[in-house]
Amino acid sequence: KTFLNLLTKKEKKFNQLFLCQLEKIGVSKTLFENSLPTLRIIWNSSKPYTKPYGFYIGEIIINQNTYSILLEKGSEKIRFKSIQK
């Protein structure tokens, strides 16, 4: 729940690769953002204290499908890096 609160407070940044991956799996950016409350971070696989940016691996449910996601937390933004089914 704390990480989800962080997501709502920070700016979200989507790189071109991430947007292409969303398009490939048939998910719009709006649908992805609306599904963020289903995001579950896999803490055993994440490295939140890596310098300069911690990275997180998680799972998100979109239209009853589960996707793996990679994101980074910077001081100002959350950067979405990759999504895969």
Side-chain angles (χ1 to χ4, degrees):
K1 203 143 183 121
T2 304
F3 193 82
L4 289 177
N5 290 341
L6 181 69
L7 277 177
T8 60
K9 293 178 184 173
K10 294 211 178 237
E11 178 186 347
K12 294 166 197 65
K13 177 102 171 147
F14 302 93
N15 66 19
Q16 194 60 41
L17 173 65
F18 187 85
L19 294 173
C20 287
Q21 289 171 338
L22 279 180
E23 186 177 323
K24 185 177 177 183
I25 61 175
V27 173
S28 70
K29 184 178 166 187
T30 303
L31 179 58
F32 174 79
E33 288 179 320
N34 291 340
S35 299
L36 281 175
T38 69
L39 178 64
R40 183 178 64 86
I41 298 299
I42 302 168
W43 293 105
N44 292 340
S45 301
S46 300
K47 304 279 186 211
Y49 302 110
T50 302
K51 300 285 183 184
Y53 305 114
F55 71 87
Y56 299 84
I57 296 171
E59 292 180 337
I60 188 168
I61 299 171
I62 305 171
N63 287 340
Q64 300 168 355
N65 294 307
T66 302
Y67 299 91
S68 297
I69 188 169
L70 172 66
L71 50 120
E72 287 179 346
K73 181 182 81 66
S75 58
E76 302 291 322
K77 305 173 189 170
I78 300 288
R79 296 174 186 88
F80 293 90
K81 297 294 197 176
S82 179
I83 186 168
Q84 298 176 359
K85 193 163 187 176

